[in-house]
Amino acid sequence: MAKNREINMNLPSVDDLFTTQEERDQKNQEYVKDISIYEITDFPNHPFKVKMDDKMLETIESVRDHGVLVPALVREKPMGGYEMISGHRRKMASELAGKETMPCIVRNLSDDQAVIVMVDSNLQREEILPSEKAFAYKMKLDAMKRQGQRRDLTSVPLAQKFKGKTSREILGEQVGESQDQIRRYIRLTELIPEILEMVDDKKISMRPAVELSYLTKEEQEILYDTMESEACTPSHAQAIKIRKFSAEGRLNEDVLLSIMAEEKPNQVEQWKIPKNRLKKYFPSGTSQQKMEETIIKALELYRKREKSRER
């Protein structure tokens, strides 16, 4: 029996039987190869938007003329194919430029390593939306915390590596943000998509947005409908008041309307026309902004006509 155990212990692994040493060495190293874009899937829950903007049009033209000059970064998937780590824009440009393949660096990365590399490589961009930072910081911080909890033979705990600093402290130093700012960005991930989009569009500032992130999803939906119908957004002071009513279980549509109707400091005087008086002039579902733009254009045409009559 002892002999049998000894023989079994010395048997080669399945990998050893079906791969060459060169292939095994290659698996642990990174290398560059042309890969079919149809074999590459996007990174799960990728927080950075890939938009069809002027920069994308320039990238498409460049790829069409010169190909992808900087290889993307991918990792092999256990069931075959590849997962994009960095290069989602280049992949989209390649598809739209009619390319079948693109050069890629293939790197062996764990799930947490892949998250950290994906976030770090995308944070180098010039323009990053608050929502992109929010989800990117959250993903990286979670990955860093998991790495810090590892205590196997191949990993030194993160706290030991960085002399007791918290993961949030380390992340803040790496991205050039304070711990409080990191916390604020991550709170934005609790906003419903419609309100988060308003933060991206600079309709709501960071500090009131953080206060609103403590509302329940249902309360946020009521708030969004109120902001749309009243064509206004809460100030920081109003957002604090809204959060307080929510914590007390007293927030409803009437309370929201009352708070939002309060005059803000330095508020510019506005003329308001009841929506009911305008409905008959616009198709159902027309947004407040579209109504306003149409009214302004109509007034400009009216003024031009009046001036021409005076002549």
Side-chain angles (χ1 to χ4, degrees), residues 130 180-181 183-185 187-188 191 199 203-214 234-241 243:
D180 285 343
Q181 192 70 346
R183 178 188 60 79
R184 291 187 191 105
Y185 273 115
R187 280 301 317 174
L188 298 184
L191 292 171
V199 179
K203 295 178 180 177
I204 301 179
S205 300
M206 170 73 82
R207 297 187 74 183
V210 169
E211 298 296 331
L212 300 177
S213 73
Y214 289 92
S235 65
H236 186 215
Q238 288 172 328
I240 291 173
K241 190 176 290 188
R243 178 184 172 183

Side-chain angles (χ1 to χ4, degrees), residues 84-110:
M84 184 68 78
I85 306 296
S86 174
H88 291 78
R89 286 178 59 84
R90 280 163 281 173
K91 180 192 171 191
M92 180 176 175
S94 296
E95 291 176 4
L96 296 174
K99 302 290 184 180
E100 296 289 327
T101 64
M102 65 183 294
C104 297
I105 299 170
V106 183
R107 185 179 297 171
N108 185 23
L109 295 167
S110 68

Side-chain angles (χ1 to χ4, degrees), residues 210-225:
V210 169
E211 298 296 331
L212 300 177
S213 73
Y214 289 92
L215 307 184
T216 67
K217 303 302 181 188
E218 293 76 15
E219 289 171 338
Q220 289 186 44
E221 288 168 1
I222 295 171
L223 171 63
Y224 176 73
D225 290 341

Side-chain angles (χ1 to χ4, degrees), residues 116 120 140 143-145 147-149 155-174:
I116 291 170
D120 287 347
K140 182 173 180 179
M144 291 171 68
K145 286 178 179 177
Q147 284 192 331
Q149 292 166 358
S155 175
V156 179
L158 201 63
Q160 182 179 335
K161 283 182 182 179
F162 293 94
K163 299 179 181 179
K165 290 183 180 179
T166 64
S167 299
R168 190 182 292 173
E169 283 181 286
I170 298 162
L171 175 58
E173 290 174 2
Q174 290 175 348

Side-chain angles (χ1 to χ4, degrees), residues 63-193:
V63 169
R64 186 180 290 119
D65 295 341
H66 310 290
V68 174
L69 301 178
V70 179
L73 177 63
V74 301
R75 66 170 180 164
E76 290 187 46
K77 296 167 65 176
M79 303 304 291
Y82 301 86
E83 182 178 275
M84 184 68 78
I85 306 296
S86 174
H88 291 78
R89 286 178 59 84
R90 280 163 281 173
K91 180 192 171 191
M92 180 176 175
S94 296
E95 291 176 4
L96 296 174
K99 302 290 184 180
E100 296 289 327
T101 64
M102 65 183 294
C104 297
I105 299 170
V106 183
R107 185 179 297 171
N108 185 23
L109 295 167
S110 68
D111 290 346
D112 289 334
Q113 287 172 334
V115 167
I116 291 170
V117 173
M118 179 274 295
V119 171
D120 287 347
S121 60
N122 281 281
L123 286 177
Q124 305 304 316
R125 288 169 17 190
E126 291 181 10
E127 297 178 7
I128 304 175
L129 296 171
S131 64
E132 294 175 322
K133 279 190 177 184
F135 285 101
Y137 286 169
K138 186 177 189 303
M139 290 177 73
K140 182 173 180 179
L141 188 60
D142 288 344
M144 291 171 68
K145 286 178 179 177
R146 286 191 295 268
Q147 284 192 331
Q149 292 166 358
R150 290 183 58 197
R151 296 181 181 273
D152 56 34
L153 296 177
T154 62
S155 175
V156 179
L158 201 63
Q160 182 179 335
K161 283 182 182 179
F162 293 94
K163 299 179 181 179
K165 290 183 180 179
T166 64
S167 299
R168 190 182 292 173
E169 283 181 286
I170 298 162
L171 175 58
E173 290 174 2
Q174 290 175 348
V175 300
E177 306 265 22
S178 68
Q179 286 191 71
D180 285 343
Q181 192 70 346
I182 295 288
R183 178 188 60 79
R184 291 187 191 105
Y185 273 115
I186 292 176
R187 280 301 317 174
L188 298 184
T189 63
E190 300 296 329
L191 292 171
I192 61 173

Side-chain angles (χ1 to χ4, degrees), residues 36-92:
S36 168
I37 58 177
Y38 306 109
E39 289 186 64
I40 307 171
T41 58
D42 292 342
F43 196 91
N45 301 315
H46 189 251
F48 297 95
K49 295 178 173 65
V50 179
K51 297 185 292 186
M52 179 56 73
D53 51 17
D54 290 341
K55 289 184 178 179
M56 176 58 74
L57 294 174
E58 291 173 7
T59 304
I60 294 168
E61 187 176 348
S62 174
V63 169
R64 186 180 290 119
D65 295 341
H66 310 290
V68 174
L69 301 178
V70 179
L73 177 63
V74 301
R75 66 170 180 164
E76 290 187 46
K77 296 167 65 176
M79 303 304 291
Y82 301 86
E83 182 178 275
M84 184 68 78
I85 306 296
S86 174
H88 291 78
R89 286 178 59 84
R90 280 163 281 173
K91 180 192 171 191
M92 180 176 175

